[in-house]
Amino acid sequence: MSDYITSNIKGIFIDNQVKRSPITNNVSKNAGSIPIIYGDFSSLDDRELKKGYVYLVKYKGRFFKKCPGTKFYNCCGYKIIHIGEGCPLNCSYCILKAYFSHNSIKVWANIEDLYMELDKVFSNREKFFRVGTGEFTDSLAIEYLTNYSKYLIEFLSQFKNVILELKTKVVDLSWIDAVKDPRLVLPAWSLNGIDVPLKEEMSTAPLEERLKAAKICAEMGFRVCLHFDPIIYYPGWERGYKETIEMIFDYIKPKDIAYLSLGSFRGMPYLFKFIEENWPDSDYIYFGEFIKGIDGKLRLFRPIRIKQFRFMVNLLRKYGVDKQIYFCMESDEVWRACLGYTPKDIGGLANHLIQLSFAPFQSTN
Ligand code: SF4
């Protein structure tokens, strides 16, 4: 797996300020044939970053953040542990690639500062947190270099009020050794229609490999999360998503799924332009009808989204996945039309997902 990710990485720049970080140490050990260059890189402007390079630098902002959702739609209340930006994989629909035009990867190597900040945030044991690292990067794409998740899991194991989701499109289970309590970690895989990864998700693991990894995790006592986001509208989409949903249950059982999200392809207009210019064969931006939502993003016309979601929900329910399903950034109207209720009816989406995340503690305590 790491070989084809490595081929996307041209070199690693290590800033002098993080020379002694444990993350730097791991990267130096694991880099193999990738060239490493030391120097002063922390103050580089994004325009000076080199495409395809990894930068290990000191981060001076807040590591703990709210997901940049929108107040216009139902947000899942996800909290981010910000470990870096960018990704060596290549998905045509990737908002990060369109947004961070430098297409390099930044890793915040000053992990001790991250520990200090998180210690303060999570020390209120009365509060429960569902956190993840997969918002501005893939959680595990360069884990084989950094071991960042492994360190994070070790650190977070002292907090029984924090559940960490690792969201990825690769297969890397090396972090498992660091887990003391599998209830505190939710490995998560993004899935798509059976024929989508080959065309639209370059360098990612095949869907079947992702599900095999999910099965290994389930056998080891973890529950997993699955994300169908973005669901793409293309000729034959029903068959494509049906085959993937059927394949899920060749590997895992509904009870192994903590929660499962559905999100239809959407994005700011510049994402569409980016896809048009960089992925000429990605024709899904021309199918269906895109309208501008109240958050400024283009998304498929509501009846088409409802058709997509109803199709997925009906199939998933047939297999026994029901209350774990939620929609990413959708309106009450869409919830009601596809699930028969709104987030408010289940106590609010963020609260519902916290309940699902911590459910194994409730059943054993
Ligand atoms: S895996 Fe995620 S972050 Fe990486 S290229 Fe694909 S969409 Fe972007």
Side-chain angles (χ1 to χ4, degrees):
M1 153 61 57
S2 60
D3 286 353
Y4 58 80
I5 298 177
T6 297
S7 65
N8 291 345
I9 300 175
K10 294 186 189 146
I12 301 169
F13 289 107
I14 299 179
D15 185 73
N16 287 328
Q17 290 188 65
V18 294
K19 239 177 9 192
R20 283 179 228 301
S21 141
I23 299 298
T24 305
N25 203 13
N26 295 337
V27 171
S28 313
K29 268 197 313 222
N30 300 331
S33 58
I34 308 175
I36 294 185
I37 306 111
Y38 288 87
D40 292 319
F41 307 113
S42 275
S43 54
L44 284 186
D45 185 272
D46 273 3
R47 280 165 304 189
E48 297 172 272
L49 300 178
K50 292 187 171 195
K51 189 173 168 178
Y53 284 78
V54 175
Y55 289 79
L56 264 60
V57 289
K58 178 173 172 164
Y59 185 59
K60 299 183 185 113
R62 301 257 311 165
F63 291 95
F64 181 77
K65 294 174 188 289
K66 277 188 188 163
C67 178
T70 155
K71 58 180 185 322
F72 303 112
Y73 298 101
N74 289 298
C75 170
C76 72
Y78 179 73
K79 303 284 186 307
I80 301 161
I81 297 182
H82 192 30
I83 62 169
E85 268 168 22
C87 178
L89 311 177
N90 269 312
C91 302
S92 63
Y93 51 74
C94 181
I95 185 69
L96 296 180
K97 305 275 174 188
Y99 188 73
F100 300 120
S101 50
H102 51 80
N103 203 1
S104 60
I105 301 151
K106 296 185 200 167
V107 178
W108 316 135
N110 49 327
I111 195 165
E112 288 90 352
D113 294 335
L114 174 144
Y115 291 158
M116 259 193 322
E117 184 186 323
L118 296 186
D119 196 41
K120 283 189 200 134
V121 177
F122 300 144
S123 59
N124 178 358
R125 311 286 163 136
E126 303 297 307
K127 241 179 129 182
F128 294 89
F129 298 89
R130 184 174 68 90
V131 298
T133 51
E135 186 70 16
F136 297 110
T137 181
D138 179 286
S139 294
L140 296 169
I142 57 166
E143 177 69 11
Y144 76 100
L145 282 175
T146 63
N147 306 123
Y148 216 123
S149 301
K150 199 170 180 169
Y151 278 51
L152 200 52
I153 288 168
E154 267 164 15
F155 172 76
L156 292 177
S157 64
Q158 61 185 303
F159 300 101
K160 303 285 177 245
N161 55 334
V162 181
I163 287 184
L164 173 68
E165 180 182 334
L166 299 171
K167 187 171 166 195
T168 188
K169 288 195 187 98
V170 304
V171 170
D172 182 333
L173 300 180
S174 60
W175 48 270
I176 285 185
D177 300 349
V179 177
K180 294 203 180 83
D181 183 343
R183 294 176 301 177
L184 294 173
V185 182
L186 291 171
W189 278 274
S190 297
L191 301 177
N192 220 312
I194 203 85
D195 19 37
V196 172
L198 262 184
K199 206 172 154 223
E200 311 295 347
E201 298 177 351
M202 302 302 146
S203 312
T204 62
L207 289 176
E208 193 156 11
E209 297 304 314
R210 300 180 210 178
L211 290 170
K212 280 183 191 164
K215 178 178 159 75
I216 294 172
C217 291
E219 285 168 352
M220 294 181 77
F222 294 91
R223 290 177 314 144
V224 303
C225 305
L226 301 176
H227 299 287
F228 280 96
D229 194 356
I231 300 170
I232 286 171
Y233 193 61
Y234 60 96
W237 66 272
E238 282 126 317
R239 179 198 46 79
Y241 286 98
K242 182 169 183 277
E243 282 187 34
T244 302
I245 291 176
E246 285 167 354
M247 192 160 67
I248 294 174
F249 302 102
D250 291 340
Y251 289 97
I252 56 172
K253 299 186 178 67
K255 71 168 180 48
D256 300 325
I257 302 172
Y259 48 82
L260 182 152
S261 73
L262 301 176
S264 183
F265 170 67
R266 62 208 173 276
M268 296 305 277
Y270 64 76
L271 175 63
F272 287 70
K273 194 162 179 291
F274 177 85
I275 296 169
E276 195 182 319
E277 285 169 2
N278 294 280
W279 299 87
D281 294 334
S282 297
D283 48 8
Y284 56 87
I285 52 172
Y286 307 111
F287 293 115
E289 191 180 340
F290 286 92
I291 48 111
K292 197 178 255 185
I294 39 179
D295 55 357
K297 286 185 181 169
L298 295 175
R299 60 191 70 221
L300 282 165
F301 189 43
R302 196 202 294 164
I304 302 178
R305 302 204 309 278
I306 289 180
K307 189 161 84 169
Q308 291 177 302
F309 293 145
R310 275 195 181 144
F311 179 82
M312 307 282 288
V313 168
N314 288 343
L315 261 175
L316 288 161
R317 280 183 168 162
K318 204 178 99 193
Y319 281 99
V321 180
D322 188 2
K323 285 290 180 285
Q324 300 108 305
I325 303 172
Y326 72 96
F327 299 119
C328 187
M329 294 294 155
E330 279 298 347
S331 61
D332 283 353
E333 288 79 5
V334 170
W335 273 75
R336 210 173 284 116
C338 302
L339 288 172
Y341 52 83
T342 67
K344 208 166 156 209
D345 299 328
I346 48 171
L349 180 55
N351 182 49
H352 178 63
L353 292 171
I354 286 276
Q355 300 292 334
L356 290 174
S357 304
F358 285 90
F361 288 92
Q362 280 148 15
S363 51
T364 53
N365 286 342

